[in-house]
């Protein structure tokens, strides 16, 4: 009898790299140029995981065309890359964790709301793309999180059913997307504290980074636990 295929699916921003403060800072600077003052914490909670065109239409007008939102989003993402480039690095323990997962025949995917240029900036900038069986981004799905599309497509490309996938996320909208996809989730507290995820019944572990995560223990978790590796 063949062994059941398993997969880890990683959100990118805030999960593989601890960068969400820079994304928020660049969004606020972008809107400030347009005379809009927005609360940083409220903005993150409302938008993390959503695609750029969705955010543009929410804050700048639902009548914006895709061409207009794409031009605006390119401006914002250039701001972000300028701010974050000097700080680009993977979250602690990530590379060892994915190397161990590969040795255990776990399939690996990235599922992110990021546009292609940011995927190149992060994955190729850190030489991480080689680890992944699939990379799914904003250009591959029409709807951002909390819709499950990006996770379901990543699972499909890995050839693994949703119930055998575990998602790594840092944002409530992402955890909700995983729940809708029928996937368990590991929360990294790079951006928000553990209590921000208390309502989710698909969270099996909360951790500050990847250093103390055990692959077999994660896949053995079939329901919500109080497992945490936070200091």
């Amino acid at each position: 009898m063949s062994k059941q295929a398993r997969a880890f699916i990683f959100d990118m921003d805030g999960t593989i790299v601890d960068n969400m403060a820079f994304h928020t800072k660049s969004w606020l600077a972008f809107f400030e140029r347009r005379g809009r003052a927005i609360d940083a914490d409220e903005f993150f909670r409302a938008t993390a995981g959503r695609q750029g065109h969705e955010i543009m239409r929410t804050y700048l007008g639902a009548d914006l065309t895709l061409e207009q939102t794409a031009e605006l989003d390119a401006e914002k993402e250039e701001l972000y890359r300028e701010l974050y480039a000097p700080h680009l690095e993977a979250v602690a323990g990530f590379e060892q964790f994915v190397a161990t997962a590969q040795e255990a025949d776990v399939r690996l995917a990235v599922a992110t709301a990021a546009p292609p240029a940011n995927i190149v900036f992060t994955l190729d900038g850190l030489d991480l793309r080689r680890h992944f069986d699939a990379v799914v981004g904003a250009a591959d799905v029409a709807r951002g999180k909390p819709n499950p599309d990006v996770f379901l497509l990543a699972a499909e490309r890995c050839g693994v059913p949703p119930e055998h996938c575990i998602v790594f996320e840092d944002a409530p909208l992402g955890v909700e997307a995983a729940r809708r996809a029928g996937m368990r989730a590991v929360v990294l507290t790079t951006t928000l504290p553990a209590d921000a995820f208390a309502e989710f019944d698909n969270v099996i572990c909360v951790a500050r980074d990847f250093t103390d995560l055990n692959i077999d223990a994660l896949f053995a978790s079939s329901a919500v636990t109080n497992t945490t590796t936070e200091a």
Side-chain angles (χ1 to χ4, degrees):
M1 184 175 179
S2 61
K3 187 176 180 181
Q4 173 63 57
R6 307 178 297 175
F8 286 146
I9 302 176
F10 300 88
D11 172 52
M12 188 175 76
D13 293 337
T15 304
I16 295 176
V17 289
D18 184 3
N19 63 343
M20 290 310 297
F22 294 92
H23 263 303
T24 300
K25 186 181 295 186
S26 63
W27 273 114
L28 298 184
F30 171 85
F31 286 122
E32 186 177 351
R33 290 180 177 181
R34 287 158 177 81
R36 296 288 305 273
I38 298 173
D39 178 77
D41 184 62
E42 179 183 339
F43 178 82
F44 172 79
R45 291 174 183 269
T47 64
R50 294 193 182 277
Q51 295 185 5
H53 69 90
E54 296 172 314
I55 298 172
M56 294 298 178
R57 285 173 169 164
T58 297
Y59 286 89
L60 297 180
D63 59 341
L64 288 172
T65 66
L66 278 176
E67 291 77 12
Q68 288 172 321
T69 59
E71 184 177 342
L72 292 167
D73 196 44
E75 178 187 337
K76 179 267 166 185
E77 295 304 347
E78 185 176 351
L79 272 173
Y80 155 71
R81 291 190 293 271
E82 289 176 1
L83 287 170
Y84 186 55
H87 309 277
L88 180 65
E89 64 177 348
V91 169
F94 177 76
E95 293 196 67
Q96 181 58 55
F97 182 76
V98 293
T100 303
Q102 287 176 305
E103 291 173 1
D105 294 322
V106 177
R107 295 173 192 175
L108 304 174
V110 172
T112 174
N118 282 6
I119 294 173
V120 169
F121 170 74
T122 299
L123 298 187
D124 296 340
L126 293 171
D127 190 27
L128 295 177
R129 193 183 293 265
R130 58 194 167 84
H131 292 296
F132 297 106
D133 300 287
V135 176
V136 180
D140 299 297
V141 294
R143 305 184 303 173
K145 303 165 189 175
N147 297 293
D149 309 23
V150 69
F151 291 138
L152 291 173
L153 183 55
E156 179 184 330
R157 290 184 177 177
C158 285
V160 179
E163 63 269 24
H164 295 295
C165 296
I166 294 176
V167 166
F168 292 77
E169 262 287 355
D170 73 307
L173 287 178
V175 175
E176 172 61 16
R179 188 192 67 79
R180 295 185 189 183
M183 300 176 184
R184 293 165 287 169
V186 173
V187 167
L188 268 71
T189 54
T190 55
T191 311
L192 293 173
D195 59 11
F197 304 88
E199 67 185 85
F200 294 102
D201 61 4
N202 62 324
V203 173
I204 57 172
C205 180
V206 177
R208 68 182 181 277
D209 55 39
F210 293 92
T211 54
D212 296 321
L213 296 180
N214 180 279
I215 291 169
D216 291 333
L218 292 176
F219 279 111
S221 299
S222 58
V224 173
T225 71
N226 291 323
T227 302
T228 179
T229 62
E230 289 192 286

